[in-house]
Amino acid sequence: MRTQVAIVGAGPAGLTLAHLLHLEGIDSVVLEARSREYVEQRVRAGVLEQGTVDLLSAMGVAERLHREGIVHHGIELRFDRRGYRIPLTDLTGRSITIYGQQEVVRDLIAARLDTERPLLFEVEDVSVHDVASDRPAVRFRYEGAAQELECDVIAGCDGFHGVCRDSIPAGVLTTYSREYPFGWLGILAAVAPSSDELIYASHERGFALHSLRSPDLSRLYLQCAPDEDLADWPDERIWEELHMRFELDGWALHEGPVLEKGVTGMRSFVVEPMQYGRLYLAGDAAHIVPPTGAKGLNLAVADVRVLAGGLVEWYATGDTALLETYSATCLKRAWRAEHFSYFMTHMLHRLDGDPFDAKLQRAQLEYVCSSEAAATSLAENYVGPAYVG
Ligand code: APR
Ligand code: PHB
């Protein structure tokens, strides 16, 4: 098998890249370890920056997103049993859209299948080879048979636990990371959202987030231990804890059947550079943010937009200038998102330890809720940059 761009991973990064390349007439093969059902059902993040929506629209894959996505113009920060609205659109001119990551993935898979270009699910034993040469290759097993895919370039879009990053020789990458001493217990509940906008609550019992997926589906999170045992959390205990953390006079949290439950760890992680030879890392394969800033999916899409631009220029003219700056361009945005996600995480979570930290945290919360300059800074990071061009 031969193609121009071998794409490892069919998450938002891999699938968006595949479609951007298709629109420019560039051939690719997408290799995914999981089944189609699995990737389409995996519940992940749900906040799209306006730039992400604009890009998906320009790619012609946003018809359902515009129909079912819910545009939000503000978020609420809640602490001391009071709520403060950050008016995102008034402060920045931009909005966010609530649309589940798996819905984006579903739309992109449908678009890919329509192009009749290859997207292989349930591939096994994926390994990347000769990336320092100009004839790299990906080996894998598909339907029981060993395969070799020769290509010009490999896009490592295989997430944090993928194989591409680890195939880069020792000493090339520098890793920067931070682990947090907490995780999020998330539920999807069949009940109308209790608020029109997202609520980020900072409470002495821990952080809680109220989000949604549709007019009948709420998505809620609770700060918990990173290795919290779900067995200790029957639904009644989850609701009881949520009621306490969101408590506000005149406001009630609606309960409903819990459809899905899970615990996610939180970490910040970046590798530099995001490229080695003909292997380009994109999305979670290169960087992870804690979910408090709602940036993961948006960063993944931003990376592959830059990568697609570089590949298009290279195939059209032979000029490698944009490919050479791929890593630096993406890292600039990634580090801004790393800082913002760290900032939001520290401002909102219960930090066990030094009471001085707790006082600083409170001062920061009061500042963003009372200063238009501080609120604008939060808002412009939350909505993300507008894409140029
Ligand atoms: N071979 C092929 N596919 C693989 C391999 C492998 N060895 N390892 C992992 N994959 C697949 C995973 O099954 C997954 O479908 O790569 C895909 C990576 O997708 P994501 O993890 O969704 O990563 P990305 O596309 O970068 O999107 C980032 O995902 O984790 C969230 O918050 C994060 O929203 C952000 C988004
Ligand atoms: C979600 O809806 O899943 C969600 C929303 C905002 C976040 C993280 C997750 O910051």
Side-chain angles (χ1 to χ4, degrees), residues 215-245:
D216 339 284
L217 276 181
S218 298
R219 178 88 173 132
L220 295 138
Y221 299 94
L222 283 174
Q223 176 182 352
C224 61
D227 54 353
E228 193 79 42
D229 186 355
L230 273 180
D232 295 335
W233 287 88
D235 298 356
E236 312 77 64
R237 181 173 175 212
I238 296 176
W239 288 114
E240 195 187 329
E241 194 63 39
L242 287 167
H243 281 296
M244 287 192 271
R245 297 191 191 183

PDB file of all heavy atoms in Angstrom, residues 215-245:
ATOM      1  N   PRO A 215     -31.038  19.605  24.972  1.00  0.00           N
ATOM      2  CA  PRO A 215     -32.115  20.054  25.873  1.00  0.00           C
ATOM      3  C   PRO A 215     -32.562  18.974  26.863  1.00  0.00           C
ATOM      4  O   PRO A 215     -33.203  19.277  27.867  1.00  0.00           O
ATOM      5  CB  PRO A 215     -33.250  20.422  24.913  1.00  0.00           C
ATOM      6  CG  PRO A 215     -32.549  20.757  23.625  1.00  0.00           C
ATOM      7  CD  PRO A 215     -31.363  19.837  23.552  1.00  0.00           C
ATOM      8  N   ASP A 216     -32.223  17.701  26.621  1.00  0.00           N
ATOM      9  CA  ASP A 216     -32.619  16.653  27.588  1.00  0.00           C
ATOM     10  C   ASP A 216     -31.448  15.908  28.190  1.00  0.00           C
ATOM     11  O   ASP A 216     -31.630  14.859  28.796  1.00  0.00           O
ATOM     12  CB  ASP A 216     -33.497  15.562  26.946  1.00  0.00           C
ATOM     13  CG  ASP A 216     -34.158  16.009  25.696  1.00  0.00           C
ATOM     14  OD1 ASP A 216     -35.121  16.761  25.847  1.00  0.00           O
ATOM     15  OD2 ASP A 216     -33.694  15.643  24.594  1.00  0.00           O
ATOM     16  N   LEU A 217     -30.237  16.378  28.008  1.00  0.00           N
ATOM     17  CA  LEU A 217     -29.084  15.665  28.544  1.00  0.00           C
ATOM     18  C   LEU A 217     -28.167  16.623  29.285  1.00  0.00           C
ATOM     19  O   LEU A 217     -27.660  17.592  28.703  1.00  0.00           O
ATOM     20  CB  LEU A 217     -28.266  15.059  27.406  1.00  0.00           C
ATOM     21  CG  LEU A 217     -28.669  13.703  26.819  1.00  0.00           C
ATOM     22  CD1 LEU A 217     -27.689  13.320  25.722  1.00  0.00           C
ATOM     23  CD2 LEU A 217     -28.705  12.622  27.905  1.00  0.00           C
ATOM     24  N   SER A 218     -27.944  16.323  30.569  1.00  0.00           N
ATOM     25  CA  SER A 218     -27.012  17.132  31.361  1.00  0.00           C
ATOM     26  C   SER A 218     -25.700  16.368  31.507  1.00  0.00           C
ATOM     27  O   SER A 218     -25.679  15.140  31.561  1.00  0.00           O
ATOM     28  CB  SER A 218     -27.575  17.372  32.762  1.00  0.00           C
ATOM     29  OG  SER A 218     -28.787  18.081  32.692  1.00  0.00           O
ATOM     30  N   ARG A 219     -24.625  17.120  31.594  1.00  0.00           N
ATOM     31  CA  ARG A 219     -23.294  16.529  31.805  1.00  0.00           C
ATOM     32  C   ARG A 219     -22.727  17.209  33.044  1.00  0.00           C
ATOM     33  O   ARG A 219     -22.631  18.444  33.075  1.00  0.00           O
ATOM     34  CB  ARG A 219     -22.433  16.806  30.569  1.00  0.00           C
ATOM     35  CG  ARG A 219     -21.019  16.296  30.680  1.00  0.00           C
ATOM     36  CD  ARG A 219     -20.905  14.869  30.206  1.00  0.00           C
ATOM     37  NE  ARG A 219     -19.525  14.409  30.158  1.00  0.00           N
ATOM     38  CZ  ARG A 219     -19.123  13.243  30.663  1.00  0.00           C
ATOM     39  NH1 ARG A 219     -19.974  12.435  31.256  1.00  0.00           N
ATOM     40  NH2 ARG A 219     -17.865  12.871  30.561  1.00  0.00           N
ATOM     41  N   LEU A 220     -22.406  16.426  34.062  1.00  0.00           N
ATOM     42  CA  LEU A 220     -21.962  17.014  35.325  1.00  0.00           C
ATOM     43  C   LEU A 220     -20.661  16.378  35.790  1.00  0.00           C
ATOM     44  O   LEU A 220     -20.434  15.185  35.550  1.00  0.00           O
ATOM     45  CB  LEU A 220     -23.046  16.791  36.391  1.00  0.00           C
ATOM     46  CG  LEU A 220     -24.349  17.532  36.067  1.00  0.00           C
ATOM     47  CD1 LEU A 220     -25.562  16.680  36.350  1.00  0.00           C
ATOM     48  CD2 LEU A 220     -24.422  18.844  36.836  1.00  0.00           C
ATOM     49  N   TYR A 221     -19.839  17.169  36.425  1.00  0.00           N
ATOM     50  CA  TYR A 221     -18.557  16.665  36.924  1.00  0.00           C
ATOM     51  C   TYR A 221     -18.351  17.095  38.377  1.00  0.00           C
ATOM     52  O   TYR A 221     -18.777  18.192  38.773  1.00  0.00           O
ATOM     53  CB  TYR A 221     -17.393  17.231  36.114  1.00  0.00           C
ATOM     54  CG  TYR A 221     -17.373  16.893  34.650  1.00  0.00           C
ATOM     55  CD1 TYR A 221     -17.927  17.766  33.708  1.00  0.00           C
ATOM     56  CD2 TYR A 221     -16.777  15.720  34.185  1.00  0.00           C
ATOM     57  CE1 TYR A 221     -17.883  17.471  32.348  1.00  0.00           C
ATOM     58  CE2 TYR A 221     -16.729  15.423  32.830  1.00  0.00           C
ATOM     59  CZ  TYR A 221     -17.288  16.305  31.912  1.00  0.00           C
ATOM     60  OH  TYR A 221     -17.242  16.022  30.573  1.00  0.00           O
ATOM     61  N   LEU A 222     -17.624  16.248  39.115  1.00  0.00           N
ATOM     62  CA  LEU A 222     -17.245  16.519  40.505  1.00  0.00           C
ATOM     63  C   LEU A 222     -15.755  16.304  40.667  1.00  0.00           C
ATOM     64  O   LEU A 222     -15.240  15.269  40.210  1.00  0.00           O
ATOM     65  CB  LEU A 222     -17.839  15.442  41.412  1.00  0.00           C
ATOM     66  CG  LEU A 222     -19.278  15.437  41.812  1.00  0.00           C
ATOM     67  CD1 LEU A 222     -19.547  14.142  42.585  1.00  0.00           C
ATOM     68  CD2 LEU A 222     -19.543  16.632  42.719  1.00  0.00           C
ATOM     69  N   GLN A 223     -15.081  17.189  41.334  1.00  0.00           N
ATOM     70  CA  GLN A 223     -13.678  16.918  41.695  1.00  0.00           C
ATOM     71  C   GLN A 223     -13.630  15.711  42.624  1.00  0.00           C
ATOM     72  O   GLN A 223     -14.423  15.615  43.569  1.00  0.00           O
ATOM     73  CB  GLN A 223     -13.095  18.144  42.402  1.00  0.00           C
ATOM     74  CG  GLN A 223     -11.676  17.937  42.899  1.00  0.00           C
ATOM     75  CD  GLN A 223     -11.136  19.149  43.650  1.00  0.00           C
ATOM     76  OE1 GLN A 223     -11.767  20.207  43.684  1.00  0.00           O
ATOM     77  NE2 GLN A 223      -9.973  18.990  44.264  1.00  0.00           N
ATOM     78  N   CYS A 224     -12.711  14.785  42.364  1.00  0.00           N
ATOM     79  CA  CYS A 224     -12.590  13.586  43.199  1.00  0.00           C
ATOM     80  C   CYS A 224     -11.109  13.214  43.254  1.00  0.00           C
ATOM     81  O   CYS A 224     -10.267  13.937  42.733  1.00  0.00           O
ATOM     82  CB  CYS A 224     -13.404  12.439  42.576  1.00  0.00           C
ATOM     83  SG  CYS A 224     -12.841  11.969  40.937  1.00  0.00           S
ATOM     84  N   ALA A 225     -10.803  12.078  43.865  1.00  0.00           N
ATOM     85  CA  ALA A 225      -9.407  11.612  43.877  1.00  0.00           C
ATOM     86  C   ALA A 225      -9.056  11.126  42.470  1.00  0.00           C
ATOM     87  O   ALA A 225      -9.938  10.675  41.743  1.00  0.00           O
ATOM     88  CB  ALA A 225      -9.247  10.481  44.880  1.00  0.00           C
ATOM     89  N   PRO A 226      -7.765  11.185  42.075  1.00  0.00           N
ATOM     90  CA  PRO A 226      -7.403  10.774  40.700  1.00  0.00           C
ATOM     91  C   PRO A 226      -7.728   9.300  40.437  1.00  0.00           C
ATOM     92  O   PRO A 226      -8.008   8.913  39.307  1.00  0.00           O
ATOM     93  CB  PRO A 226      -5.897  11.021  40.618  1.00  0.00           C
ATOM     94  CG  PRO A 226      -5.423  11.391  41.971  1.00  0.00           C
ATOM     95  CD  PRO A 226      -6.614  11.680  42.843  1.00  0.00           C
ATOM     96  N   ASP A 227      -7.713   8.491  41.513  1.00  0.00           N
ATOM     97  CA  ASP A 227      -7.977   7.053  41.353  1.00  0.00           C
ATOM     98  C   ASP A 227      -9.283   6.682  42.054  1.00  0.00           C
ATOM     99  O   ASP A 227      -9.434   5.582  42.565  1.00  0.00           O
ATOM    100  CB  ASP A 227      -6.818   6.254  41.947  1.00  0.00           C
ATOM    101  CG  ASP A 227      -6.561   6.668  43.397  1.00  0.00           C
ATOM    102  OD1 ASP A 227      -7.198   7.657  43.860  1.00  0.00           O
ATOM    103  OD2 ASP A 227      -5.741   6.019  44.072  1.00  0.00           O
ATOM    104  N   GLU A 228     -10.215   7.606  42.090  1.00  0.00           N
ATOM    105  CA  GLU A 228     -11.495   7.394  42.778  1.00  0.00           C
ATOM    106  C   GLU A 228     -12.156   6.107  42.287  1.00  0.00           C
ATOM    107  O   GLU A 228     -12.185   5.847  41.079  1.00  0.00           O
ATOM    108  CB  GLU A 228     -12.401   8.597  42.486  1.00  0.00           C
ATOM    109  CG  GLU A 228     -13.624   8.692  43.341  1.00  0.00           C
ATOM    110  CD  GLU A 228     -13.341   9.249  44.741  1.00  0.00           C
ATOM    111  OE1 GLU A 228     -12.574  10.207  44.870  1.00  0.00           O
ATOM    112  OE2 GLU A 228     -13.911   8.697  45.701  1.00  0.00           O
ATOM    113  N   ASP A 229     -12.683   5.318  43.223  1.00  0.00           N
ATOM    114  CA  ASP A 229     -13.344   4.071  42.856  1.00  0.00           C
ATOM    115  C   ASP A 229     -14.834   4.350  42.631  1.00  0.00           C
ATOM    116  O   ASP A 229     -15.550   4.737  43.560  1.00  0.00           O
ATOM    117  CB  ASP A 229     -13.143   3.059  43.993  1.00  0.00           C
ATOM    118  CG  ASP A 229     -13.666   1.682  43.625  1.00  0.00           C
ATOM    119  OD1 ASP A 229     -14.269   1.549  42.526  1.00  0.00           O
ATOM    120  OD2 ASP A 229     -13.488   0.754  44.431  1.00  0.00           O
ATOM    121  N   LEU A 230     -15.286   4.133  41.402  1.00  0.00           N
ATOM    122  CA  LEU A 230     -16.690   4.413  41.066  1.00  0.00           C
ATOM    123  C   LEU A 230     -17.658   3.605  41.924  1.00  0.00           C
ATOM    124  O   LEU A 230     -18.801   4.020  42.141  1.00  0.00           O
ATOM    125  CB  LEU A 230     -16.937   4.087  39.589  1.00  0.00           C
ATOM    126  CG  LEU A 230     -16.650   5.189  38.578  1.00  0.00           C
ATOM    127  CD1 LEU A 230     -16.948   4.700  37.183  1.00  0.00           C
ATOM    128  CD2 LEU A 230     -17.482   6.430  38.897  1.00  0.00           C
ATOM    129  N   ALA A 231     -17.188   2.465  42.403  1.00  0.00           N
ATOM    130  CA  ALA A 231     -18.044   1.606  43.228  1.00  0.00           C
ATOM    131  C   ALA A 231     -18.482   2.341  44.494  1.00  0.00           C
ATOM    132  O   ALA A 231     -19.510   2.027  45.091  1.00  0.00           O
ATOM    133  CB  ALA A 231     -17.302   0.329  43.593  1.00  0.00           C
ATOM    134  N   ASP A 232     -17.689   3.335  44.921  1.00  0.00           N
ATOM    135  CA  ASP A 232     -18.052   4.104  46.116  1.00  0.00           C
ATOM    136  C   ASP A 232     -19.064   5.206  45.814  1.00  0.00           C
ATOM    137  O   ASP A 232     -19.423   5.988  46.693  1.00  0.00           O
ATOM    138  CB  ASP A 232     -16.803   4.786  46.719  1.00  0.00           C
ATOM    139  CG  ASP A 232     -15.808   3.773  47.237  1.00  0.00           C
ATOM    140  OD1 ASP A 232     -16.238   2.647  47.572  1.00  0.00           O
ATOM    141  OD2 ASP A 232     -14.605   4.098  47.290  1.00  0.00           O
ATOM    142  N   TRP A 233     -19.439   5.318  44.552  1.00  0.00           N
ATOM    143  CA  TRP A 233     -20.297   6.438  44.157  1.00  0.00           C
ATOM    144  C   TRP A 233     -21.607   5.989  43.523  1.00  0.00           C
ATOM    145  O   TRP A 233     -21.818   6.166  42.313  1.00  0.00           O
ATOM    146  CB  TRP A 233     -19.540   7.376  43.199  1.00  0.00           C
ATOM    147  CG  TRP A 233     -18.495   8.183  43.921  1.00  0.00           C
ATOM    148  CD1 TRP A 233     -17.201   7.840  44.172  1.00  0.00           C
ATOM    149  CD2 TRP A 233     -18.683   9.473  44.525  1.00  0.00           C
ATOM    150  NE1 TRP A 233     -16.562   8.829  44.876  1.00  0.00           N
ATOM    151  CE2 TRP A 233     -17.445   9.849  45.107  1.00  0.00           C
ATOM    152  CE3 TRP A 233     -19.776  10.350  44.631  1.00  0.00           C
ATOM    153  CZ2 TRP A 233     -17.278  11.054  45.775  1.00  0.00           C
ATOM    154  CZ3 TRP A 233     -19.597  11.552  45.292  1.00  0.00           C
ATOM    155  CH2 TRP A 233     -18.354  11.895  45.856  1.00  0.00           C
ATOM    156  N   PRO A 234     -22.522   5.441  44.337  1.00  0.00           N
ATOM    157  CA  PRO A 234     -23.857   5.174  43.782  1.00  0.00           C
ATOM    158  C   PRO A 234     -24.478   6.507  43.349  1.00  0.00           C
ATOM    159  O   PRO A 234     -24.060   7.575  43.840  1.00  0.00           O
ATOM    160  CB  PRO A 234     -24.622   4.558  44.960  1.00  0.00           C
ATOM    161  CG  PRO A 234     -23.828   4.877  46.181  1.00  0.00           C
ATOM    162  CD  PRO A 234     -22.407   5.127  45.758  1.00  0.00           C
ATOM    163  N   ASP A 235     -25.440   6.443  42.462  1.00  0.00           N
ATOM    164  CA  ASP A 235     -26.015   7.674  41.902  1.00  0.00           C
ATOM    165  C   ASP A 235     -26.476   8.657  42.993  1.00  0.00           C
ATOM    166  O   ASP A 235     -26.265   9.860  42.881  1.00  0.00           O
ATOM    167  CB  ASP A 235     -27.199   7.350  40.983  1.00  0.00           C
ATOM    168  CG  ASP A 235     -26.758   6.506  39.799  1.00  0.00           C
ATOM    169  OD1 ASP A 235     -25.534   6.259  39.664  1.00  0.00           O
ATOM    170  OD2 ASP A 235     -27.627   6.084  39.014  1.00  0.00           O
ATOM    171  N   GLU A 236     -27.099   8.114  44.058  1.00  0.00           N
ATOM    172  CA  GLU A 236     -27.633   9.020  45.106  1.00  0.00           C
ATOM    173  C   GLU A 236     -26.509   9.844  45.726  1.00  0.00           C
ATOM    174  O   GLU A 236     -26.684  11.026  46.019  1.00  0.00           O
ATOM    175  CB  GLU A 236     -28.326   8.252  46.260  1.00  0.00           C
ATOM    176  CG  GLU A 236     -29.325   7.187  45.836  1.00  0.00           C
ATOM    177  CD  GLU A 236     -28.618   5.936  45.347  1.00  0.00           C
ATOM    178  OE1 GLU A 236     -27.921   5.296  46.150  1.00  0.00           O
ATOM    179  OE2 GLU A 236     -28.740   5.592  44.142  1.00  0.00           O
ATOM    180  N   ARG A 237     -25.347   9.219  45.905  1.00  0.00           N
ATOM    181  CA  ARG A 237     -24.240   9.958  46.520  1.00  0.00           C
ATOM    182  C   ARG A 237     -23.740  11.055  45.573  1.00  0.00           C
ATOM    183  O   ARG A 237     -23.394  12.166  46.010  1.00  0.00           O
ATOM    184  CB  ARG A 237     -23.100   8.993  46.882  1.00  0.00           C
ATOM    185  CG  ARG A 237     -21.957   9.730  47.537  1.00  0.00           C
ATOM    186  CD  ARG A 237     -20.867   8.826  48.077  1.00  0.00           C
ATOM    187  NE  ARG A 237     -19.761   9.649  48.573  1.00  0.00           N
ATOM    188  CZ  ARG A 237     -18.489   9.298  48.552  1.00  0.00           C
ATOM    189  NH1 ARG A 237     -18.135   8.103  48.107  1.00  0.00           N
ATOM    190  NH2 ARG A 237     -17.559  10.127  48.986  1.00  0.00           N
ATOM    191  N   ILE A 238     -23.716  10.747  44.291  1.00  0.00           N
ATOM    192  CA  ILE A 238     -23.262  11.752  43.312  1.00  0.00           C
ATOM    193  C   ILE A 238     -24.190  12.958  43.344  1.00  0.00           C
ATOM    194  O   ILE A 238     -23.746  14.112  43.426  1.00  0.00           O
ATOM    195  CB  ILE A 238     -23.213  11.147  41.891  1.00  0.00           C
ATOM    196  CG1 ILE A 238     -22.177  10.023  41.839  1.00  0.00           C
ATOM    197  CG2 ILE A 238     -22.928  12.227  40.851  1.00  0.00           C
ATOM    198  CD1 ILE A 238     -22.106   9.297  40.511  1.00  0.00           C
ATOM    199  N   TRP A 239     -25.508  12.695  43.318  1.00  0.00           N
ATOM    200  CA  TRP A 239     -26.460  13.818  43.309  1.00  0.00           C
ATOM    201  C   TRP A 239     -26.352  14.637  44.592  1.00  0.00           C
ATOM    202  O   TRP A 239     -26.385  15.865  44.577  1.00  0.00           O
ATOM    203  CB  TRP A 239     -27.890  13.306  43.109  1.00  0.00           C
ATOM    204  CG  TRP A 239     -28.133  12.814  41.713  1.00  0.00           C
ATOM    205  CD1 TRP A 239     -28.389  11.537  41.322  1.00  0.00           C
ATOM    206  CD2 TRP A 239     -28.133  13.602  40.502  1.00  0.00           C
ATOM    207  NE1 TRP A 239     -28.539  11.468  39.951  1.00  0.00           N
ATOM    208  CE2 TRP A 239     -28.395  12.716  39.423  1.00  0.00           C
ATOM    209  CE3 TRP A 239     -27.935  14.951  40.216  1.00  0.00           C
ATOM    210  CZ2 TRP A 239     -28.459  13.134  38.094  1.00  0.00           C
ATOM    211  CZ3 TRP A 239     -28.003  15.371  38.881  1.00  0.00           C
ATOM    212  CH2 TRP A 239     -28.261  14.471  37.849  1.00  0.00           C
ATOM    213  N   GLU A 240     -26.223  13.933  45.710  1.00  0.00           N
ATOM    214  CA  GLU A 240     -26.138  14.624  47.000  1.00  0.00           C
ATOM    215  C   GLU A 240     -24.930  15.576  47.012  1.00  0.00           C
ATOM    216  O   GLU A 240     -25.015  16.735  47.423  1.00  0.00           O
ATOM    217  CB  GLU A 240     -25.977  13.547  48.081  1.00  0.00           C
ATOM    218  CG  GLU A 240     -26.217  14.016  49.484  1.00  0.00           C
ATOM    219  CD  GLU A 240     -25.853  12.896  50.475  1.00  0.00           C
ATOM    220  OE1 GLU A 240     -26.006  11.695  50.128  1.00  0.00           O
ATOM    221  OE2 GLU A 240     -25.381  13.237  51.559  1.00  0.00           O
ATOM    222  N   GLU A 241     -23.822  15.073  46.505  1.00  0.00           N
ATOM    223  CA  GLU A 241     -22.593  15.876  46.471  1.00  0.00           C
ATOM    224  C   GLU A 241     -22.767  17.057  45.503  1.00  0.00           C
ATOM    225  O   GLU A 241     -22.352  18.184  45.800  1.00  0.00           O
ATOM    226  CB  GLU A 241     -21.434  14.971  46.027  1.00  0.00           C
ATOM    227  CG  GLU A 241     -20.068  15.546  46.250  1.00  0.00           C
ATOM    228  CD  GLU A 241     -19.695  15.805  47.716  1.00  0.00           C
ATOM    229  OE1 GLU A 241     -20.042  15.000  48.593  1.00  0.00           O
ATOM    230  OE2 GLU A 241     -19.043  16.852  47.953  1.00  0.00           O
ATOM    231  N   LEU A 242     -23.373  16.801  44.366  1.00  0.00           N
ATOM    232  CA  LEU A 242     -23.584  17.883  43.396  1.00  0.00           C
ATOM    233  C   LEU A 242     -24.489  18.967  43.995  1.00  0.00           C
ATOM    234  O   LEU A 242     -24.220  20.162  43.850  1.00  0.00           O
ATOM    235  CB  LEU A 242     -24.210  17.338  42.105  1.00  0.00           C
ATOM    236  CG  LEU A 242     -23.272  16.510  41.207  1.00  0.00           C
ATOM    237  CD1 LEU A 242     -24.063  15.755  40.140  1.00  0.00           C
ATOM    238  CD2 LEU A 242     -22.220  17.410  40.531  1.00  0.00           C
ATOM    239  N   HIS A 243     -25.556  18.547  44.677  1.00  0.00           N
ATOM    240  CA  HIS A 243     -26.452  19.536  45.297  1.00  0.00           C
ATOM    241  C   HIS A 243     -25.667  20.438  46.243  1.00  0.00           C
ATOM    242  O   HIS A 243     -25.843  21.655  46.245  1.00  0.00           O
ATOM    243  CB  HIS A 243     -27.561  18.829  46.085  1.00  0.00           C
ATOM    244  CG  HIS A 243     -28.669  18.315  45.210  1.00  0.00           C
ATOM    245  ND1 HIS A 243     -29.483  19.141  44.477  1.00  0.00           N
ATOM    246  CD2 HIS A 243     -29.076  17.054  44.938  1.00  0.00           C
ATOM    247  CE1 HIS A 243     -30.350  18.417  43.799  1.00  0.00           C
ATOM    248  NE2 HIS A 243     -30.115  17.128  44.049  1.00  0.00           N
ATOM    249  N   MET A 244     -24.781  19.839  47.025  1.00  0.00           N
ATOM    250  CA  MET A 244     -24.030  20.648  47.989  1.00  0.00           C
ATOM    251  C   MET A 244     -23.094  21.628  47.281  1.00  0.00           C
ATOM    252  O   MET A 244     -23.000  22.791  47.643  1.00  0.00           O
ATOM    253  CB  MET A 244     -23.231  19.742  48.925  1.00  0.00           C
ATOM    254  CG  MET A 244     -24.114  19.033  49.924  1.00  0.00           C
ATOM    255  SD  MET A 244     -23.138  18.246  51.213  1.00  0.00           S
ATOM    256  CE  MET A 244     -22.832  16.654  50.500  1.00  0.00           C
ATOM    257  N   ARG A 245     -22.418  21.134  46.266  1.00  0.00           N
ATOM    258  CA  ARG A 245     -21.394  21.992  45.642  1.00  0.00           C
ATOM    259  C   ARG A 245     -21.989  23.124  44.796  1.00  0.00           C
ATOM    260  O   ARG A 245     -21.349  24.148  44.584  1.00  0.00           O
ATOM    261  CB  ARG A 245     -20.431  21.133  44.805  1.00  0.00           C
ATOM    262  CG  ARG A 245     -19.676  20.140  45.685  1.00  0.00           C
ATOM    263  CD  ARG A 245     -18.539  19.478  44.961  1.00  0.00           C
ATOM    264  NE  ARG A 245     -18.002  18.354  45.730  1.00  0.00           N
ATOM    265  CZ  ARG A 245     -16.970  17.618  45.372  1.00  0.00           C
ATOM    266  NH1 ARG A 245     -16.338  17.888  44.219  1.00  0.00           N
ATOM    267  NH2 ARG A 245     -16.553  16.619  46.113  1.00  0.00           N
TER     268      ARG A 245
END
